Amino acid sequence: MNAPQPHSSQQTPRRPLPAVGQRDSFFDNAKYLAIVLVALGHVWEPLRDGSRTMGVLYMVVYAFHMPAFIVISGYFSRSFAFRPHQIKRLISGVVVPYIVFETAYSLFRRWLHDPDAPISLLDPWYLTWFLAALFVWRLTTPIWRSLRYPLAVALAIAMLATVSPKIGNDLDMQRALQFLPYFVLGLCLKPEHFKLVRTRRMRILAVPVFAAALAVGWWAKGNMTTAWFYHRDAAQELGGAWWIGPLMTLGMFGCAVVLTACFFAWVPGRRLWFTALGAGTISGYLLHGFLVKGGIWLGWFDQGWAEGPLGALLCTVAAGTVVTLLCTPPVLKALKVVLEPNLDRFFRPDENAAKAAKTGAPAEGAENRGKVPAGV
């Protein structure tokens, strides 16, 4: 925690957050720390049944780590307006990785675990649901930007999804709809909203908030199924009455927003050793799943060394180290052909950009081109 500042004016960052389209250390730091939490949560999953402590940590992390990721994705999708370069970036940065890794995960599953596992691009498996959801969310961005009360509408849709078990598995739409409010919240946020949580007072308040979350998690362990945090099932599918779904949607949204704000309060705004890794979180996100699932299927977590506090600590350190390495520039560069391929040959030339090049004027939307994170 930083030392007390002599003047209250120093409680907020001295520099305003950069506008959309510019890289900012705060968001790169937040993305890196969030992807580390994602990896830790996946490693803790096979360890949670043998330890109440691991189960509690698992629940608390799952209460906000994906909402935080999705809020950032929404924030950096605010300028999406179906411009040609935005469509091309959506295809190359979201659709192509989804097709490649959905196929890769399906083959990996058939090879190591289930020879009869289906291969279907319409039914995302494991981590790829996020790319499918991001595609749907970003396509609907202009709609949310046009509504007067977009967050209220998104919450209503999420609540209705929790009482609709027949939505089906196509593109994991149940999960896309239930997580939708966090994306819309990100669309509604402005730089000054992030400045509000990046204060010394918020960093201090975050301590008792997370302490309370751990206490609630300790009570909830054994009294509440963790499947609610996955947002992939309707209330009836989780064994509850239909009316529990909307109540859980509102309650979990409120908890996730509070914990996400506290998480952002703790994210440093200056450039650190891991800041550059924030640009490579998509590779860390998509690759670490092979190791986690492979470890589960091969029985790594069933070994004696994985039992007890020391084993949990070793797994935690290993997960953080591995996902960090997977976010490094060499890995991202090696996977560039599938994570961000050059698809210029498949698209017509951008006439607006060509005209701007002739006149020397910036193209429409050029301020957001090339620097906006894809959301992962």
Side-chain angles (χ1 to χ4, degrees), residues 122-124 165-174 232-233 237:
L122 295 180
D123 186 8
K166 294 186 179 181
I167 287 180
N169 295 325
D170 290 351
L171 295 182
D172 214 342
M173 194 57 63
Q174 180 71 255
R232 66 187 178 197
D233 299 298
E237 296 172 297

Side-chain angles (χ1 to χ4, degrees), residues 80-156:
F80 187 85
F82 288 99
R83 298 189 181 100
H85 73 276
Q86 293 174 329
I87 295 294
K88 183 167 63 176
R89 182 172 175 79
L90 181 64
I91 299 298
S92 64
V94 178
V95 175
V96 171
Y98 171 75
I99 293 174
V100 171
F101 279 90
E102 175 61 26
T103 303
Y105 269 110
S106 298
L107 294 175
F108 181 70
R109 182 184 178 189
R110 295 184 68 166
W111 169 59
L112 201 59
H113 180 63
D114 182 5
D116 298 323
I119 299 177
S120 173
L121 295 180
L122 295 180
D123 186 8
W125 184 74
Y126 200 35
L127 302 178
T128 56
W129 73 267
F130 177 74
L131 293 178
L134 183 60
F135 176 73
V136 173
W137 295 334
R138 195 162 286 176
L139 286 180
T140 61
T141 293
I143 298 176
W144 304 112
R145 299 287 289 171
S146 300
L147 293 178
R148 180 167 302 198
Y149 305 108
L151 186 56
V153 175
L155 279 170

Side-chain angles (χ1 to χ4, degrees), residues 31 102 112 127 188 196 202 209 263 302 319 354:
K31 289 169 63 181
E102 175 61 26
L112 201 59
L127 302 178
C188 297
L196 290 176
M202 279 298 300
V209 170
F263 168 71
D302 298 328

Side-chain angles (χ1 to χ4, degrees), residues 158-201:
M159 293 165 67
L160 289 174
T162 63
V163 300
S164 306
K166 294 186 179 181
I167 287 180
N169 295 325
D170 290 351
L171 295 182
D172 214 342
M173 194 57 63
Q174 180 71 255
R175 193 177 299 194
L177 294 178
Q178 290 195 36
F179 273 116
L180 175 64
Y182 303 103
F183 182 81
V184 175
L185 175 61
L187 290 175
C188 297
L189 294 179
K190 298 179 180 179
E192 50 265 32
H193 293 132
F194 289 95
K195 290 175 63 177
L196 290 176
V197 301
R198 295 170 58 187
T199 64
R200 181 172 177 271
R201 176 178 297 179

